[in-house]
Amino acid sequence: MSLGDWSCPIPKVDLPTITMSHGAGGGLSAKLFDEVFSKHYPSKELLDRNDSAVIDWDSRYRLAISTDAFVVEPRKFPGGDIGSLSVYGTINDLAVQGAEPIALTIAWVLEEGFPLSELHELASSVGKAAADCSVRVLAGDTKVVQRGRGHGCYITTTGLGRVPKGLELGSSRICLGDCILLSGPIGEHGMAIMSQRSGLDFDPVLKSDCAPLHRMAMSLASQVSGLKLMRDPTRGGISAVLNELAASSQKCFEIQEASVPIRSQVKSACELLGIDPWVVANEGKLLAIVSCDGVQAALDIMRKHPEGSQACQIGQVTGRYPRSVIAETLYGTKRIVAMPSGELLPRIC
Amino acid sequence: MSLGDWSCPIPKVDLPTITMSHGAGGGLSAKLFDEVFSKHYPSKELLDRNDSAVIDWDSRYRLAISTDAFVVEPRKFPGGDIGSLSVYGTINDLAVQGAEPIALTIAWVLEEGFPLSELHELASSVGKAAADCSVRVLAGDTKVVQRGRGHGCYITTTGLGRVPKGLELGSSRICLGDCILLSGPIGEHGMAIMSQRSGLDFDPVLKSDCAPLHRMAMSLASQVSGLKLMRDPTRGGISAVLNELAASSQKCFEIQEASVPIRSQVKSACELLGIDPWVVANEGKLLAIVSCDGVQAALDIMRKHPEGSQACQIGQVTGRYPRSVIAETLYGTKRIVAMPSGELLPRIC
């Protein structure tokens, strides 16, 4: 197999306007970041492209901060709603940096005509999710836009957490031979949204995995010395995260397809809709890179938490094709796992 | 004058849906906060209703955090754009707590079809404003929504700052006899937006006062021991801020109308459009409550900064009509200054 001719399928023409694909978490999202945002307000932390930025603050802790806008459609889905998602999504961005979440801020952009009863429901969902994570909502803002200039409601949350000094996680720590662990079956959030949108009725209903990961992540960070890095594979699924890690670590990520857990129902839905489950968003899964001698300890810890009960090793870091993700298929052949591009599932989170 | 019959003109019926007035910063915004958000995720800091929340963090500093969504229309206006406004607006919310701004996060909700060239301009404006305030943009997020489900772009920024321990500002510190200071002429941001929207051509053009206040505010906080509280009168103008302070301090805020600076051009525009300049948004003005013995020092400091060159005293805190704002008019009579309600200028910030 030659990788010489392979290149990331981003359109080479400069699109003059924003397309849905710019928000899909794949190649065009990265291009937008590279060519616009990182150009105009570069900071070391932003350029590090971690899920949250970590800065020095005091003698014992570093401060982690992360922000996310949520525009998911539909706003309510089996397993959650835009309210709980906007809390857990931001908590998880802190969690994968090994941070203990402390506080949240929340800003609402409401469309004129939005039902107050639904606002109550969503605010209640925010409150319950925040309480579940023991974080306080410290500050908020609300704006209203005219009918047809929004879509019900959009939420932006920003999370603050603290990271014990001495905990160093990052792609620069990834070494050849490190193992790739996944906390459970993939594709559940994306397929729950997708089946809602397409009106597909599954029995039992496809449920989002939307859940907070900080308890599991904090246990891993404090107890597994060989932990190199954690990520939650949201937009763009495990394909996007693995490709980002392969690029930033300049290593090859080799995955055994048979090891990647997928619930049969999600697999069927993906086949029915012609979607690769590896590019489908998750909202309650953790991907961890751990040195070989830490694998058993890490898996033991993950499996103690309900959100990691099906944790397993899915692959290894090698030097075979640097900056690439390779999957060993069920038939023993190998395939390149490309960075997802284009619009797969807009407004998934 | 009897205040017995006076009540805040909030509609008594429960509106079943969100209206533009819920986002206007007046009575309905407060109602939404009281009946929805503060019910479902109450925290001490949120209930304090300060422009930013301040929490204990380490031994030397407290941490200030503030979030704001920006939906201003038009996005570009004389004196600024949604990019600079989204930086300065959040910086100012930190500044009025006496915080030194440290960092920002930014989340964009872009509408499909938004021109990339304008995104470049706005991101550049964000970068310049952040550099002007010596804050770094630590983290960001971008989402895209379909055509007709947004309006070009909405921005949410969250700011982090640090407050020296020992600095205590708040409405509980306000005493009878305290003086009310204002850093300069009012109504400029709102009237700049309004004249753009209504197509009114003024010569010279009406410019927004959009500017960062942290330098002036930090000087006041560190050098004026009698400083009780600072606020930036944005949505709802000085009428809204004064009414909030009168309510939270349970005191009477008496203002001399003749002392409130307004540029003649803004005054003319307000008269032409039938708008009370006291309810018009500012984006670069500071209102400070200072004990009498600190007034001269405070005014001297404010006037050293370009954004405070026209600082003056506009009134005093008394016990005459607790929880009310009273203006002494140019004719020597008195009038009640009501909390603005309803939709004056939607999407002003």
Side-chain angles (χ1 to χ4, degrees), chain A residues 204-255:
Chain A
V205 71
L206 275 180
K207 253 180 93 175
S208 166
D209 59 347
C210 184
L213 296 168
H214 62 292
R215 286 178 270 258
M216 181 165 66
M218 284 165 67
S219 299
L220 284 173
S222 62
Q223 294 172 46
V224 180
S225 60
L227 179 70
K228 305 297 182 75
L229 176 142
M230 297 183 279
R231 279 281 188 285
D232 61 327
T234 55
R235 276 187 292 184
I238 62 168
S239 286
V241 167
L242 291 168
N243 270 284
E244 282 164 23
L245 294 180
S248 59
S249 67
Q250 311 209 12
K251 308 226 166 8
C252 179
F253 279 58
E254 294 197 53
I255 310 294

Side-chain angles (χ1 to χ4, degrees), chain A residues 18 45 69 113 143 149 154 158, chain B residues 18 69 113 143 149 154 158:
Chain A
I18 291 291
E45 291 78 11
K143 295 282 156 62
R149 300 197 159 171
Y154 300 139
T158 305
Chain B
I18 290 293
K143 296 283 155 60
R149 301 198 157 170
Y154 300 140
T158 305

Side-chain angles (χ1 to χ4, degrees), chain A residues 15-16 18 40-41 43 45 57 68-69 108 113-114 116 120 136-137 141 143 146 148-149 154 158 235 347, chain B residues 15-16 18 40-41 43 45 57 68-69 113-114 116 120 136-137 141 143 146 148-149 154 158 235 347:
Chain A
L15 300 170
I18 291 291
H40 293 297
Y41 40 83
S43 73
E45 291 78 11
W57 195 266
D68 259 327
W108 301 77
F114 188 64
L116 268 170
H120 264 291
R136 286 181 304 151
V137 180
D141 187 36
K143 295 282 156 62
Q146 295 91 338
R149 300 197 159 171
Y154 300 139
T158 305
R235 276 187 292 184
R347 300 184 55 189
Chain B
L15 299 170
I18 290 293
H40 293 298
Y41 41 82
S43 73
E45 291 77 11
W57 196 267
D68 259 328
F114 188 64
L116 267 171
H120 264 290
R136 288 182 301 151
V137 180
D141 187 37
K143 296 283 155 60
Q146 296 92 338
R149 301 198 157 170
Y154 300 140
T158 305
R235 276 187 293 182
R347 298 184 57 188

Side-chain angles (χ1 to χ4, degrees), chain A residues 24-340:
Chain A
L28 274 180
S29 298
K31 191 174 154 79
L32 198 63
F33 176 82
D34 290 340
E35 297 182 4
V36 183
F37 303 125
S38 72
K39 210 165 176 174
H40 293 297
Y41 40 83
S43 73
K44 186 196 156 297
E45 291 78 11
L46 202 68
L47 297 175
D48 276 351
R49 296 159 174 275
N50 286 322
D51 286 348
S52 59
V54 180
I55 58 171
D56 277 327
W57 195 266
D58 65 42
S59 51
R60 287 175 56 206
Y61 291 102
R62 307 181 75 204
L63 185 147
I65 187 163
S66 180
T67 197
D68 259 327
F70 295 87
V71 300
V72 64
E73 169 61 22
R75 289 185 294 275
K76 290 182 233 180
F77 45 83
D81 59 33
I82 192 173
S84 55
L85 183 63
S86 70
V87 174
Y88 294 146
T90 289
I91 292 293
N92 290 348
D93 285 343
L94 297 173
V96 294
Q97 297 295 111
E100 175 194 359
I102 303 284
L104 278 182
T105 66
I106 183 163
W108 301 77
V109 174
L110 304 174
E111 185 188 9
E112 185 184 14
F114 188 64
L116 268 170
S117 56
E118 190 178 345
L119 187 62
H120 264 291
E121 275 176 55
L122 296 177
S124 163
S125 179
V126 166
K128 280 180 195 151
D132 172 30
C133 299
S134 307
V135 298
R136 286 181 304 151
V137 180
L138 289 183
D141 187 36
T142 310
K143 295 282 156 62
V144 180
V145 296
Q146 295 91 338
R147 241 174 251 271
R149 300 197 159 171
H151 194 209
C153 85
Y154 300 139
I155 298 178
T156 297
T157 54
T158 305
L160 269 194
R162 56 186 188 186
V163 182
K165 281 217 169 169
L167 178 66
E168 294 293 338
L169 302 174
S171 59
S172 63
R173 298 195 62 221
I174 296 175
C175 301
L176 299 182
D178 282 351
C179 295
I180 304 160
L181 312 185
L182 184 63
S183 65
I186 60 167
E188 296 175 2
H189 176 70
M191 293 319 292
I193 297 288
M194 192 54 137
S195 63
Q196 282 272 303
R197 278 197 214 156
S198 53
L200 290 176
D201 278 335
F202 289 94
D203 184 25
V205 71
L206 275 180
K207 253 180 93 175
S208 166
D209 59 347
C210 184
L213 296 168
H214 62 292
R215 286 178 270 258
M216 181 165 66
M218 284 165 67
S219 299
L220 284 173
S222 62
Q223 294 172 46
V224 180
S225 60
L227 179 70
K228 305 297 182 75
L229 176 142
M230 297 183 279
R231 279 281 188 285
D232 61 327
T234 55
R235 276 187 292 184
I238 62 168
S239 286
V241 167
L242 291 168
N243 270 284
E244 282 164 23
L245 294 180
S248 59
S249 67
Q250 311 209 12
K251 308 226 166 8
C252 179
F253 279 58
E254 294 197 53
I255 310 294
Q256 281 72 51
E257 223 171 64
S259 314
V260 177
I262 310 179
R263 274 188 226 284
S264 60
Q265 216 190 357
V266 169
K267 197 180 276 182
S268 311
C270 282
E271 282 167 5
L272 198 66
L273 297 167
I275 292 172
D276 172 8
W278 287 37
V279 306
V280 176
N282 311 275
E283 289 292 346
K285 292 299 175 302
L286 188 75
L287 201 136
I289 313 297
V290 182
S291 64
C292 272
D293 56 2
V295 167
Q296 200 50 53
L299 288 175
D300 288 347
I301 288 170
M302 289 163 93
R303 289 173 184 155
K304 271 185 206 150
H305 292 267
E307 59 273 25
S309 60
Q310 294 181 68
C312 58
Q313 179 176 346
I314 60 166
Q316 204 157 16
V317 178
T318 73
R320 204 158 305 167
Y321 305 104
R323 305 174 66 84
S324 299
V325 180
I326 305 295
E328 189 181 326
T329 67
L330 301 175
Y331 314 104
T333 59
K334 292 194 174 182
R335 66 176 176 94
I336 297 168
V337 179
M339 173 62 100

